[in-house]
Amino acid sequence: MKIDHDLPQEVREIEHIEIPVADGTRLAARIWMPADADSRPVPAILEYIPYRKNDKTLERDFARAPWLAAKGYAYVRVDLRGCGESEGVMTDEYTRLELQDGCDVIAWIADQAWCDGGVGIVGISWGGFNGLQLAALRPPALKAVVTICSTDDRYADDIHYMGGTMLVDQLSWASIMFGINTLPPDPIHVGERWREMWESRLDGSGLWLKTWLRHQHRDDYWRHGSVCEDYSDIEVPVYAVSGWADGYCRAVFRLVENLRSPAKGIVGPWAHKYPHLGEPGPAIDWLTEETRWWDQWLKGRDTGIMDEPPLRLYMQDHAEPRTHYEYREGRWITEPSWPSPNVTRTEYIPGADGGLRPGAAPDSDIVEVSSPLWVGMHGGKWCSYAHPGDQPADQRQEDASSLTFETGPLEEAVEIAGDPGLRLTFQVDRPVAQVAVRLVDVAPDGAATRVSYGLLNLTHRTSHAEPEPLEPGRTYTVRVPMKHVAQTFRAGHRIRVGISTSYFPLAWPAPEPVTMQVHLDGTALSLPVRTPGTSKPGDFGPPRAAAPLPLTMKEPAQSEWQVSEDMDTGRYTVHVRDHEGGAHIDLQGLFHSAEGVETYTVLPGDPTSAEGEVTWTHVMRRDDWEVVTVTRTRLWATAETFEIEASLRAKADDEMVRDVSWRESIPRKLV
């Protein structure tokens, strides 16, 4: 990372300011702008998220915001209602009130003396989501969007449900927000009101996992905020960014394909990260690229960015299977549109001998698979954060208990770019079943690297909104889409497809053990094969940023990911520990630490034995003021219901302020 200590102009920071919205609630903001912006107004860039501008995201903001401010922008970092020092209570993600507040904030920014009236919105993850959602509401001052690691489809392509299967990351994510929602505002900014504001949050935020589990199908709850419902609602230019290791890469392709407004996309090798912090590397000089976008659409300068191809992808080379990569070998490519004329579909036909051959005659055999529930233990997370363990390990163990087909050694390299898919013709013996499909790169020594994967709840074969039970013994044909990817399979390697009837703890298992019969004459792997050498763009430059935030680390950040088997009971367990570190923010005299522990267990043959438990512990401290909160969420299921136990304990200066527990039972609906 190149640190720009000498920025091109002096920057002024407003550490805390309160923005009134329509109902009188005041939202907290931190603003960086050129020192002379009051006399020479500039466009503004809004980042609008719940992750606490005064502590949890300050290190990241400190490296971005002054850099962009020095390029002639006011960077306005606003906490959502009920977060950080903002008033009110947050009861869910992407609510109508959140979006109305966002429109009010944009109008307020445009009306300030230091703003020239033009506003862009940027964000990663939550801020990428609501940036698209706000653009669809068309607030007059909003001129452009940068959306990073986000989605246009809150049901079928988010952390909640994938292909109609319930993602276990839904439990993880609900637990993360459960912990964040217990944190108080900083008394240094809100004074004695902090206690009243804090207790309102503790009492009013609620149990989000319960809400999400009550909406197991695509209904109006998920349609709200899903801009894919009508892409024409967005009329401003959109730059969409993600990474292959992230959970959200597919939305980049849909946005570039479907938006009527100007659109560009980048997908790198990264996990859930800003591209200038991208890991696995190579990270890129994203701030320069982002500035070109803002200059084009907020300052009216022709930067040439729209003369370049609309889609840039990182074509990954083979990598040995590891659960964490610092760097992925590969090269950047461009596509003139999406779908791309450089990409054609090639079908590979499975055979009863386990072969996988392009253009082969279909085999009439029927083969069977019933996977033990530990298949998936080496699958990593749905959304990788580039932590050790959260990307997929060597797939040989998973493949050994799956139905697999593979090519012979490739005579020449094969490049793919886009979404692989499997046409699957099958029968099952239960009314509720799921399938997991994995695309694997097999090296000459047998090492198996997962390239992509897909999940489908087979009761959702025709509709996510109105699923239907399966009829045991009846033959069906479905298409199982996999995540988009750009990947080179080297000459001498083999391409393998693996099929399993479960994939825990990435997806919650079906309620009963399932045996699937696969009809080979109606089954085929479809690969988006790309013509190599069709574009050779230059690389991005190395990443740049402003000077880092002064921090004193009191406790090191640590991540652990362990998979174990109890040789007595046969129970498999995944144990994950994520300690964000204990940091003293020197400028504010504030200490903050957060630690999460996740445990997922299952018996190989009993889906009702699956269980997940997540605990988060947060500490905030300044001088003799201290707040400690501990949240715990446990999820398990019977064949008929999902069961939740949760608790919240909050202390201030060793005084117990809240000790609350929940117990909920929610009917399963073909999940």
Side-chain angles (χ1 to χ4, degrees):
M1 176 80 73
K2 181 180 183 293
I3 304 301
D4 292 331
H5 292 282
D6 297 321
L7 297 174
Q9 62 177 305
E10 184 181 352
V11 172
R12 175 166 66 102
E13 178 187 354
I14 301 173
E15 183 176 315
H16 179 77
I17 190 171
E18 296 181 358
I19 300 173
V21 294
D23 66 358
T25 301
R26 303 180 72 83
L27 305 186
R30 195 176 195 121
I31 305 175
W32 293 261
M33 67 180 74
D36 61 354
D38 284 333
S39 58
R40 300 177 62 185
V42 295
I45 301 167
L46 168 64
E47 186 174 10
Y48 177 55
I49 54 178
Y51 305 132
R52 303 178 59 87
K53 54 89 176 169
N54 202 47
D55 42 72
K56 287 185 82 70
T57 69
L58 184 57
E59 183 179 12
R60 185 182 78 193
D61 300 341
F62 215 78
R64 275 179 53 80
W67 200 96
L68 290 163
K71 296 293 183 178
Y73 293 93
Y75 197 94
V76 186
R77 177 55 188 85
V78 177
D79 277 339
L80 270 58
R81 175 188 296 252
C83 305
E85 285 72 58
S86 292
E87 296 175 346
V89 175
M90 184 169 65
T91 58
D92 202 353
E93 54 185 12
Y94 321 122
T95 64
R96 286 176 170 78
L97 184 56
E98 172 187 331
L99 299 183
Q100 180 56 57
D101 286 349
C103 290
D104 293 344
V105 167
I106 290 170
W108 180 89
I109 292 170
D111 197 42
Q112 300 308 296
W114 40 261
C115 181
D116 68 3
V119 180
I121 190 166
V122 64
I124 180 171
S125 198
W126 193 307
F129 278 61
N130 66 22
L132 292 171
Q133 294 162 5
L134 286 166
L137 296 177
R138 303 178 189 172
L142 185 64
K143 307 302 182 187
V145 175
V146 172
T147 182
I148 302 171
C149 301
S150 74
T151 192
D152 54 344
D153 189 337
R154 291 187 57 216
Y155 180 77
D157 197 22
D158 192 8
I159 206 163
H160 305 290
Y161 298 91
M162 181 181 183
T165 66
M166 193 195 85
L167 293 169
V168 176
D169 262 17
Q170 174 163 253
L171 167 61
S172 175
W173 174 236
S175 302
I176 289 171
M177 288 310 302
F178 191 17
I180 290 175
N181 290 339
T182 66
L183 297 179
D186 192 335
I188 202 169
H189 291 310
V190 302
E192 293 302 317
R193 292 188 301 147
W194 79 269
R195 180 69 176 252
E196 179 184 357
M197 293 170 67
W198 180 43
E199 293 192 28
S200 293
R201 296 176 188 181
L202 296 175
D203 294 336
S205 185
L207 192 65
W208 294 11
L209 181 60
K210 171 185 172 182
T211 300
W212 299 339
L213 282 174
R214 284 181 167 175
H215 297 276
Q216 295 167 31
H217 306 156
R218 186 185 183 92
D219 56 14
D220 287 343
Y221 176 84
W222 300 112
R223 292 185 186 101
H224 163 74
S226 293
V227 301
C228 64
E229 293 291 315
D230 189 349
Y231 288 106
S232 67
D233 286 341
I234 296 178
E235 296 181 339
V236 297
V238 173
Y239 205 153
V241 182
S242 190
W244 302 129
D246 182 46
Y248 294 103
C249 64
R250 299 195 290 185
V252 174
F253 295 85
R254 292 194 299 269
L255 291 167
V256 169
E257 178 179 359
N258 292 297
L259 287 177
R260 299 178 186 176
S261 58
K264 288 183 70 72
I266 294 176
V267 186
W270 316 302
H272 202 66
K273 300 272 190 178
Y274 265 102
H276 61 292
L277 304 172
E279 190 179 356
I284 64 172
D285 183 10
W286 168 247
L287 293 182
T288 295
E289 180 73 3
E290 186 181 334
T291 300
R292 294 177 68 214
W293 180 257
W294 299 129
D295 285 352
Q296 180 80 30
W297 298 110
L298 296 184
K299 293 185 177 179
R301 298 176 181 170
D302 186 356
T303 64
I305 198 167
M306 298 311 296
D307 299 328
E308 299 164 3
L311 192 59
R312 181 175 278 195
L313 309 175
Y314 192 74
M315 177 64 70
Q316 297 180 142
D317 196 1
H318 165 74
E320 293 182 1
R322 295 181 198 151
T323 62
H324 175 257
Y325 299 95
E326 292 184 0
Y327 191 91
R328 285 295 303 262
E329 297 293 339
R331 71 187 195 280
W332 289 101
I333 62 172
T334 62
E335 299 298 347
S337 62
W338 197 260
S340 170
N342 301 324
V343 176
T344 56
R345 290 279 172 184
T346 299
E347 283 202 341
Y348 288 72
I349 308 301
D353 61 354
L356 189 64
R357 302 172 181 89
D363 194 315
S364 61
D365 279 27
I366 297 174
V367 291
E368 195 169 272
V369 59
S370 182
S371 305
L373 294 171
W374 51 255
V375 172
M377 288 282 157
H378 296 83
K381 284 181 73 69
W382 181 84
C383 185
S384 167
Y385 293 90
H387 293 166
D390 73 4
Q391 294 197 46
D394 195 313
Q395 297 293 286
R396 279 180 280 196
Q397 184 172 345
E398 314 270 65
D399 291 343
S401 291
S402 302
L403 184 61
T404 62
F405 305 92
E406 67 180 49
T407 66
L410 299 173
E411 294 182 1
E412 57 184 24
V414 174
E415 286 187 4
I416 64 170
D419 54 333
L422 183 74
R423 185 176 72 249
L424 178 68
T425 300
F426 69 95
Q427 297 173 355
V428 289
D429 61 348
R430 294 291 184 268
V432 179
Q434 63 183 230
V435 66
V437 179
R438 291 169 285 110
L439 182 65
V440 180
D441 178 355
V442 183
D445 65 357
T449 305
R450 197 187 75 191
V451 172
S452 184
Y453 74 100
L455 300 170
L456 182 62
N457 178 341
L458 295 169
T459 70
H460 288 233
R461 60 197 176 275
T462 60
S463 171
H464 289 312
E466 298 178 353
E468 297 175 337
L470 295 150
E471 182 181 330
R474 180 178 173 183
T475 302
Y476 301 92
T477 298
V478 297
R479 183 181 185 274
V480 185
M482 297 188 229
K483 282 185 60 181
H484 291 67
V485 70
Q487 176 79 26
T488 300
F489 294 88
R490 293 179 182 175
H493 287 224
R494 300 170 186 257
I495 298 172
R496 177 184 294 166
V497 61
I499 303 169
S500 61
T501 54
S502 61
Y503 207 44
F504 182 81
L506 205 146
W508 201 270
E512 298 178 278
V514 172
T515 297
M516 174 183 288
Q517 294 183 327
V518 176
H519 295 239
L520 298 184
D521 59 357
T523 298
L525 172 68
S526 173
L527 293 184
V529 177
R530 182 179 187 272
T531 303
T534 50
S535 63
K536 296 181 180 179
D539 290 345
F540 292 98
R544 305 169 65 184
L549 175 71
L551 290 175
T552 302
M553 294 303 297
K554 302 290 189 180
E555 302 167 5
Q558 295 179 324
S559 294
E560 300 173 4
W561 188 293
Q562 299 172 350
V563 179
S564 62
E565 178 186 5
D566 185 319
M567 301 303 289
D568 180 28
T569 64
R571 181 175 289 274
Y572 275 77
T573 300
V574 175
H575 174 82
V576 182
R577 177 173 175 260
D578 177 19
H579 195 308
E580 296 179 356
H584 184 269
I585 303 173
D586 300 345
L587 297 178
Q588 297 168 184
L590 179 69
F591 172 85
H592 175 262
S593 74
E595 179 179 21
V597 177
E598 306 183 17
T599 304
Y600 306 104
T601 73
V602 72
L603 291 168
D606 181 5
T608 62
S609 70
E611 182 177 317
E613 182 173 322
V614 185
T615 301
W616 275 92
T617 302
H618 288 264
V619 179
M620 293 180 65
R621 183 186 308 122
R622 179 186 287 111
D623 300 328
D624 59 354
W625 174 79
E626 181 181 71
V627 165
V628 179
T629 68
V630 180
T631 54
R632 172 182 169 271
T633 309
R634 176 174 170 247
L635 175 67
W636 72 101
T638 69
E640 294 81 26
T641 61
F642 287 108
E643 304 291 331
I644 305 172
E645 284 183 351
S647 62
L648 158 64
R649 293 168 60 88
K651 290 184 177 182
D653 303 328
D654 286 329
E655 172 199 353
M656 185 65 72
V657 176
R658 291 292 186 277
D659 188 351
V660 187
S661 61
W662 291 258
R663 179 68 172 85
E664 301 288 344
S665 184
I666 299 166
R668 294 179 77 154
K669 300 176 181 178
L670 301 180
V671 174

